[in-house]
Amino acid sequence: MAETYALRVQVGSHEYDGEFYLVGNGYGAPADVLDHVAADHLLRIANAPRIEEYLLDVLKHGENTGEAEYKRTDSDVECWIHVDVSYQRYAFGVGDSVFEFSSEPTKSEIASTVTQLQS
């Protein structure tokens, strides 16, 4: 049976304030979700010239799912990303654990957090 993850992405900016949901298979540990799914989204958000471009890209590629499906999903791991674009604050969380990143997360900073989650 494939491991299932549920990831909530919360974005706050002057232009957009809301959340969307990602559900998928293949990753059932928080470190795996961060390494293979959340890291991509964190870097895409950090590198987007405007948050709207990132959001349109997610919608265009059909990566997101509806809130109802997210809530119905029997996931092995639930985690979240919170991004405050205006103040350049980025965080990844699972359960009671919150991992904050610098003003713009780097691949090495994310890799270090993945290592922390694996231990």
Side-chain angles (χ1 to χ4, degrees), residues 4-118:
T4 303
Y5 67 87
L7 177 65
R8 185 177 73 239
V9 181
Q10 303 165 302
V11 178
S13 74
H14 295 300
E15 298 82 16
Y16 174 85
D17 188 31
E19 61 187 24
F20 63 91
Y21 311 91
L22 304 168
V23 173
N25 295 315
Y27 309 111
D32 293 336
V33 175
L34 176 56
D35 196 21
H36 299 285
V37 182
D40 176 58
H41 285 272
L42 284 164
L43 293 171
R44 286 166 56 194
I45 292 168
N47 293 319
R50 295 177 46 218
I51 192 64
E52 293 90 341
E53 292 177 34
Y54 162 76
L55 295 168
L56 287 172
D57 189 49
V58 168
L59 291 172
K60 184 172 102 177
H61 291 100
E63 296 174 65
N64 62 310
T65 190
E67 184 176 9
E69 181 181 342
Y70 171 83
K71 288 182 177 181
R72 278 193 313 267
T73 300
D74 183 21
S75 57
D76 296 297
V77 63
E78 289 185 28
C79 42
W80 50 266
I81 295 172
H82 177 78
V83 177
D84 185 329
V85 176
S86 303
Y87 294 97
Q88 293 189 326
R89 298 183 69 192
Y90 301 79
F92 175 80
V94 59
D96 292 335
S97 301
V98 177
F99 301 89
E100 293 189 10
F101 298 98
S102 63
S103 60
E104 287 192 3
T106 63
K107 288 182 181 181
S108 62
E109 191 176 15
I110 292 170
S112 173
T113 304
V114 168
T115 302
Q116 286 179 335
L117 281 167
Q118 289 171 333

